Amino acid sequence: MQHPDPAHIARLQAREAARFAQMRPRSAELLARARRSMARGVPMGWMTAIYQHPPMFIAEGDGAWFSDVDGHRYLDMNVADLSMNGGFGPPAVVAAVAERMRRGSQFLLPTEDALAVCGHSLQKPHRPSRAKVCDEVKH
């Protein structure tokens, strides 16, 4: 069995890294600008360590897909680290959030929505304590 040549692999990686960067000039521009206000140019440090390429700046998401500021579209195989199981911008969620924002989103007083969320959370089989649920809804 022939083993791969490490030098050849390194050349391929360097070529592809250069091509990747060349195809994302707007992300590079935003990264340079972001380094003036954020450590390593990203909101969270792990964002620079997770990939072997410079971070891509994302413009938008739709369903299971997102697009970067350079116009490249990606299938989100990480499901945004499991926080977007319903996809990006599901119409029902967008409509509910828009309606809540239209009516006001933070009053530092109880709302009927808080009552519904606390009541629903307390009905779950592995529910947290009543104080914890209501405190989390409040903040």
Side-chain angles (χ1 to χ4, degrees):
M1 178 177 168
Q2 184 178 7
H3 295 285
D5 176 17
H8 181 67
I9 292 172
R11 285 191 302 276
L12 290 174
Q13 282 181 312
R15 183 188 76 194
E16 291 303 310
R19 184 171 166 251
F20 184 92
Q22 181 183 23
M23 293 175 66
R24 290 160 183 82
R26 180 82 175 117
S27 279
E29 177 187 317
L30 290 172
L31 180 59
R33 200 169 104 206
R35 285 184 172 141
R36 294 193 300 261
S37 59
M38 292 185 277
R40 295 188 240 165
V42 293
M44 293 173 264
W46 60 262
M47 291 178 169
T48 59
I50 196 166
Y51 302 109
Q52 295 180 0
H53 55 73
M56 303 169 298
F57 278 70
I58 304 307
E60 63 186 3
D62 180 30
W65 299 85
F66 63 88
S67 300
D68 68 22
V69 295
D70 293 289
H72 303 281
R73 192 164 184 240
Y74 308 88
L75 175 61
D76 186 5
M77 300 299 288
N78 291 322
V79 193
D81 199 21
L82 296 178
S83 65
M84 298 302 296
N85 284 329
F88 297 103
V93 174
V94 171
V97 170
E99 175 59 17
R100 179 73 263 170
M101 294 303 290
R102 186 190 68 70
R103 293 175 30 221
S105 62
Q106 175 58 282
F107 303 104
L108 294 177
L109 292 165
T111 64
E112 216 172 320
D113 289 347
L115 177 63
V117 170
C118 285
H120 177 73
S121 295
L122 291 172
Q123 292 173 9
K124 294 191 174 212
H126 300 289
R127 68 182 188 260
S129 73
R130 182 182 320 265
K132 182 168 177 51
V133 168
C134 293
D135 188 52
E136 288 176 0
V137 170
K138 184 172 63 178
H139 299 295

